[in-house]
Amino acid sequence: VGVAARRARAKPKSAGAGAARERKPARAGGRGRTLVVVESPAKARTLTKFLGPGFTVMASYGHVKDLPKSELGVDPENDFEPRYVAIRGKAKVLAALKAKAAQVDRILLAPDPDREGEAIAWHLASYLKRDRRPLQRLAFNEITERAVRQALEHPRELDMNLVNAQQARRVLDRLVGYQVSPFVWRTVRYGLSAGRVQTVALRLICEREEEIAAFVPEEYWTLEADYVTGAGERFTARLVRVGDRELKDGRLASGDEARALAAELERAPARVAAVSSQARRRNPPPPFITSTLQQAAFNRLRFTGQRTMALAQQLYEGLPLGSGGSVGLITYMRTDSPRTADEAVAEMRAFIPGFLGADYLPEAPRQFRSKGGAQDAHEAIRPTSIERTPDALRAYLTPEQHKLYELIWRRALASQTREAEFQATTIEVEAGRLGLRASGNVLTFAGFLKIYGADEDEAERESSLPAVAEGQPLRVAAPLPAEAGTEAAGAVRPEQHFTEPPPRYTEATLVKALEEDGIGRPSTYATIVSTITSRDYVERDKGRLKATDLGMKVAKLLVDAFPDVFEVEFTARMEEELDEIEEGRQEWHQVVRDFYGPFSMDLAKAEKLREHHRRKVEEPTPIPCPRCGRMLVKKFGRRGPFLACPGYPECKFTRPVEDAELPTPVEGKCPECGSGLVARTGRFGRFIACERYPECKHTRPFSLGIPCPQCGQGEIVEKRTRRGKAFFGCGRYPACTFALWNRPVKQPCPQCGAPFLVEKVTKKGATLRCLKCKAELAPEAVPGG
């Protein structure tokens, strides 16, 4: 009866009322009624602090779906439809998200506000969405309470234009990577890769290397003279004119001409021909975008692009600031727009007078425009509050986080300060038929330089010149006194110079070149360099990117075989089309179709001519094969280049490229076949092998002849880590784990009698150290050392 009565009292629910209740926002006091999904746990912790008990914030830990790794995952026969699968290792994360989604009234997806983040939100939506459950996108440019609250008031639907732009990029990159890379494996060696953007970046580096190799230095001379005024003030002028002939950059063709003109200068009476002085101003740079942040962080802090972006991500997602909890310290760091929000500009303008002085505040706010082709979805990289000074945050940040935050903070503040002012002075000197010029700049008002300073390529050469009047006579100065250990510098100085080749790219200048050519986008800059260096296509040489022999061969192969795909202008145009997809002006399937037509033709042609391309990659040598007499060719393997017989598989002879790496005979006989033994160099160091290899495969570690002090049974052998670093350990590993970084020397310790010493090399030289008594000895102090 009770059940029947309750049913009778219950009124039927209309469909409209039910739908309205489904769309009702989460109750402020109802814990967990709204689920917010972000990418990272750090971001989740920061948002939890802002949102309070009515919300549950969970992390997806990045992408949850992607194209399968084991196959192409794109169907060219079905209009390039991608097949997405759950990423391995994400099962627990997805299950937890789905369980929580079933308990809430609505779901807000809040990955980063870019194409990649929109794609993550789309994949999450496809997994979590249920009938009638509100599921919307939450986007904010900074992780602060104000920004998050504003975003909560205006949630939006998923932007499929952004999703499709990311899909198109992913499909294009997969088509190139998974179809061109196997061609490279079969032509050069297994394990290499090709990429739509990374290969174009490699091409730029290799073409610069070719320019350097082809460069022929040219000699030129310059001539400078020190003059003194009647008041005894000294300044330096450079020769710029001989008679009616103007010298370009003050260059003279030969040393003979420079010395003859120097002698003429010393004799010729000189006077001031003209004096000009004018005020110059230099405007502050705009706040950082992704590319300029990476360039400045490399130039000033020596951070790689990947390190810079990892630190910036931490600053963006939020860091704990004492009892105040976590807060995002900078705005979103993947942007190519220098625009700054009006409220941020107002905050900085209010801050400048108290921090720098009223003189440093310009009359009107500064506005910065994006370059052509740049997206304007996000504002520039700036602090979320200019009041959080670097000094105030020092205790809460790691040294690297603090350095990057300070760089961002100073650049943003400098962008709203007054310009720097200089007084530029030029003195024209006439000495007979010769004309000289002296230039100087004096900083009269620091402006933005006070807070940000000058970059290396923008630094003004500050040098003051004496006050002189037109017609004033001058005399050649006496030589300056020589410093200790040096010769006195003459007052008239002909100097020899040579033209220099274009410099190799640094990570900063490569990013700048990619940006100028329209290659890649903010989210891709950091990974490009890390990819080509990890593939051994490029190595770092004193901070500069140098193409390896392998990189040069692969770049030439790909450019020859795929002239359209890996062409700079073509790649830049593809980036423009991806932007047009994002703006809704292009349909992504059509963009991929237009690309795939010529690409598939190039691919088919490359496969048909693969033997031709392979012969071009294999560099011939004048070294005959000792087995069959053919001339060896240079090939590439997992351990680097080597020489091989072109008669493979009939003749399988190989040898190292360098003669020093050739097998060297050692004492003893092979215990398996009785042949001689040789010492070879392998991936993990030197080893002993039968001289009849590969017919006889006997090998053993290369022993130093020193008994292992830990087990007493084995001998110490030379080894190498997987990264190629040499170390020394017991030959009975893993039964004995004794290991050393320093090379053992078979000499007893003269103090305690230990059977061997170790060689330790420092900047001061080499010393011998005893592991037992810790004595440090000079090599000459040890008999036979």
Side-chain angles (χ1 to χ4, degrees):
V1 176
V3 172
R6 285 194 297 273
R7 286 178 176 171
R9 289 194 299 269
K11 295 181 180 180
K13 299 176 181 178
S14 69
R21 272 188 286 275
E22 287 290 345
R23 290 192 295 270
K24 189 176 180 180
R27 298 187 300 274
R31 180 177 296 275
R33 304 310 297 170
T34 297
L35 172 63
V36 180
V37 185
V38 297
E39 297 113 311
S40 75
K43 195 173 179 181
R45 286 191 295 270
T46 306
L47 260 66
T48 298
K49 171 201 164 190
F50 299 149
L51 296 177
F55 297 82
T56 297
V57 187
M58 298 179 69
S60 70
Y61 293 85
H63 279 276
V64 293
K65 288 186 177 181
D66 197 7
L67 301 175
K69 285 190 174 182
S70 58
E71 58 185 86
L72 182 63
V74 176
D75 187 358
E77 303 301 322
N78 187 25
D79 210 9
F80 306 97
E81 198 61 31
R83 185 172 73 85
Y84 296 106
V85 298
I87 294 174
R88 182 179 297 179
K90 289 296 180 75
K92 282 188 177 181
V93 173
L94 288 170
L97 288 171
K98 195 161 193 175
K100 179 55 67 175
Q103 303 170 10
V104 299
D105 296 328
R106 65 171 178 167
I107 301 169
L108 296 175
L109 305 173
D112 288 345
D114 58 5
R115 294 176 190 169
E116 206 76 14
E118 205 73 16
I120 293 173
W122 181 55
H123 289 312
L124 286 168
S126 68
Y127 188 80
L128 299 177
K129 190 170 185 180
R130 295 176 60 185
D131 293 340
R132 298 178 300 167
R133 186 181 306 281
L135 191 153
Q136 293 178 297
R137 181 78 163 98
L138 201 63
F140 34 80
N141 194 49
E142 59 185 72
I143 306 180
T144 59
E145 186 167 4
R146 175 186 56 80
V148 173
R149 293 291 178 191
Q150 286 180 353
L152 280 171
E153 293 174 5
H154 305 285
R156 62 170 174 80
E157 300 305 312
L158 285 169
D159 187 337
M160 289 307 297
N161 287 335
L162 284 173
V163 172
N164 289 333
Q166 193 276 340
Q167 275 202 111
R169 177 184 289 279
R170 191 75 185 94
V171 168
L172 289 170
D173 290 346
R174 177 57 67 97
L175 289 171
V176 173
Y178 272 48
Q179 296 191 44
V180 177
S181 294
F183 168 75
V184 180
W185 300 348
R186 292 188 289 269
T187 309
V188 184
R189 74 161 172 85
Y190 182 79
L192 300 177
S193 73
R196 187 179 60 85
V197 176
Q198 78 178 49
T199 301
V200 178
L202 175 63
R203 177 180 183 173
L204 293 179
I205 295 172
C206 292
E207 287 176 349
R208 178 60 56 86
E209 204 66 36
E210 290 172 352
E211 290 177 37
I212 294 171
F215 181 79
V216 178
E218 295 180 2
E219 179 187 19
Y220 70 94
W221 289 71
T222 60
L223 182 59
E224 290 184 343
D226 292 342
Y227 285 103
V228 176
T229 67
E233 296 175 297
R234 186 181 187 117
F235 68 96
T236 301
R238 172 175 284 197
L239 181 69
V240 294
R241 179 178 54 81
V242 178
D244 295 331
R245 176 167 60 105
E246 295 289 335
L247 303 179
K248 184 179 180 181
D249 298 326
R251 295 187 178 189
L252 297 165
S254 68
D256 290 341
E257 182 184 15
R259 286 185 286 270
L261 291 173
E264 186 177 338
L265 267 183
E266 288 177 343
R267 299 189 302 268
R271 68 180 185 90
V272 176
V275 181
S276 62
S277 183
Q278 62 179 354
R280 292 181 54 247
R281 296 184 176 187
R282 198 164 96 219
N283 291 321
F288 284 128
I289 58 176
T290 304
S291 60
T292 55
L293 174 63
Q294 292 182 23
Q295 293 168 46
F298 179 84
N299 291 330
R300 293 194 175 202
L301 307 177
R302 285 297 177 255
F303 289 172
T304 64
Q306 206 164 23
R307 187 68 187 137
T308 297
M309 296 310 290
L311 291 167
Q313 185 83 33
Q314 295 164 16
L315 297 173
Y316 164 71
E317 290 182 345
L319 295 166
L321 304 181
S323 58
S326 294
V327 63
L329 299 178
I330 65 170
T331 53
Y332 193 54
M333 62 284 160
R334 292 186 180 91
T335 176
D336 51 9
S337 169
R339 174 179 58 84
T340 305
D342 291 342
E343 58 268 27
V345 171
E347 184 188 25
M348 285 188 275
R349 285 181 60 81
F351 181 80
I352 288 170
F355 187 75
L356 294 174
D359 291 345
Y360 286 82
L361 182 68
E363 292 183 4
R366 295 190 182 278
Q367 301 294 335
F368 298 95
R369 295 182 179 180
S370 301
K371 295 180 180 179
Q375 300 298 293
D376 202 47
H378 313 301
E379 59 174 306
I381 306 168
R382 60 165 176 83
T384 53
S385 173
I386 205 70
E387 298 284 347
R388 295 191 192 98
T389 64
D391 287 343
L393 298 185
R394 189 183 300 273
Y396 305 107
L397 306 181
T398 67
E400 285 190 333
Q401 289 170 345
H402 182 266
K403 287 177 182 178
L404 189 64
Y405 178 78
E406 183 174 30
L407 186 66
I408 294 169
W409 186 90
R410 288 182 176 277
R411 175 79 167 230
L413 186 63
S415 70
Q416 292 300 324
T417 57
R418 272 185 55 191
E419 60 273 17
E421 297 178 2
F422 300 86
Q423 191 67 29
T425 303
T426 301
I427 300 175
E428 301 287 347
V429 177
E430 189 177 87
R433 68 187 186 108
L434 306 179
L436 299 91
R437 181 176 299 138
S439 300
N441 289 292
V442 177
L443 182 66
T444 56
F445 180 73
F448 76 91
L449 294 174
K450 184 174 182 179
I451 187 67
Y452 185 67
D455 289 322
E456 292 178 7
D457 58 343
E458 298 175 337
E460 296 279 351
R461 185 178 176 183
E462 186 175 344
S463 58
S464 58
L465 295 174
V468 293
E470 187 175 335
Q472 181 176 333
L474 302 169
R475 70 176 188 277
V476 175
L480 291 171
E483 296 181 3
T486 63
E487 294 182 4
V492 179
R493 298 178 299 278
E495 293 185 1
Q496 184 186 33
H497 308 271
F498 291 93
T499 55
E500 296 184 353
R504 291 189 175 102
Y505 288 107
T506 64
E507 193 162 337
T509 56
L510 178 63
V511 168
K512 186 176 182 180
L514 293 173
E515 182 190 27
E516 290 174 349
D517 289 336
I519 300 169
R521 281 299 180 261
S523 60
T524 64
Y525 293 139
T527 57
I528 290 173
V529 174
S530 63
T531 300
I532 57 179
T533 51
S534 67
R535 300 294 183 189
D536 294 327
Y537 294 158
V538 171
E539 61 187 9
R540 297 180 189 275
D541 182 14
K542 297 178 181 177
R544 297 191 175 271
L545 301 174
K546 179 183 178 182
T548 63
D549 198 7
L550 175 63
M552 296 287 287
K553 295 293 185 185
V554 170
K556 182 170 178 53
L557 167 69
L558 293 175
V559 171
D560 288 347
F562 302 90
D564 298 327
V565 177
F566 301 120
E567 201 263 336
V568 173
E569 285 77 12
F570 178 83
T571 305
R573 175 57 192 154
M574 286 303 307
E575 295 294 349
E576 292 174 3
E577 292 190 348
L578 292 173
D579 292 341
E580 289 169 3
I581 295 171
E582 180 176 332
E583 295 161 5
R585 295 189 288 119
Q586 284 254 36
E587 201 280 321
W588 80 269
H589 292 93
Q590 186 60 49
V591 170
V592 177
R593 282 195 293 270
D594 292 344
F595 167 84
Y596 195 71
F599 168 69
S600 59
M601 294 174 60
D602 282 350
L603 185 62
K605 184 178 178 181
E607 287 290 352
K608 187 176 180 181
L609 299 175
R610 183 157 51 84
E611 282 303 309
H612 165 73
H613 289 301
R614 184 180 61 79
R615 286 193 295 272
K616 290 180 69 175
V617 170
E618 293 177 352
E619 183 180 329
T621 74
I623 304 172
C625 173
R627 294 184 184 174
C628 68
R630 296 182 178 95
M631 294 301 171
L632 300 179
V633 294
K634 186 178 181 180
K635 294 188 175 185
F636 296 91
R638 288 184 175 232
R639 296 176 227 168
F642 65 98
L643 301 184
C645 181
Y648 181 87
E650 292 82 11
C651 179
K652 299 179 180 179
F653 176 79
T654 62
R655 56 153 283 186
V657 174
E658 301 295 333
D659 290 342
E661 297 178 7
L662 288 171
T664 54
V666 296
E667 294 181 3
K669 297 292 182 181
C670 174
E672 296 184 17
C673 69
S675 301
L677 297 174
V678 292
R680 293 177 177 268
T681 301
R683 183 180 180 185
F684 299 112
R686 300 180 73 196
F687 64 96
I688 304 297
C690 179
E691 66 179 3
R692 293 182 59 245
Y693 177 85
E695 288 79 12
C696 178
K697 293 183 169 57
H698 170 76
T699 62
R700 62 180 173 85
F702 187 87
S703 173
L704 301 183
I706 300 173
C708 173
Q710 185 167 300
C711 68
Q713 300 178 40
E715 290 187 342
I716 298 177
V717 298
E718 180 181 331
K719 300 183 178 183
R720 287 186 183 273
T721 66
R722 291 186 179 274
R723 293 182 179 271
K725 187 176 181 180
F727 73 101
F728 308 89
C730 181
R732 294 181 62 247
Y733 179 85
C736 178
T737 57
F738 176 79
L740 293 167
W741 287 116
N742 296 318
R743 175 179 290 276
V745 178
K746 195 175 181 181
Q747 295 294 332
C749 175
Q751 296 190 14
C752 70
F756 70 92
L757 302 169
V758 295
E759 184 181 45
K760 189 174 182 180
V761 180
T762 64
K763 292 181 180 180
K764 297 180 180 179
T767 59
L768 296 177
R769 186 170 181 265
C770 179
L771 296 177
K772 186 175 180 181
C773 69
K774 311 299 182 187
E776 289 202 15
L777 309 159
E780 57 270 15
V782 181

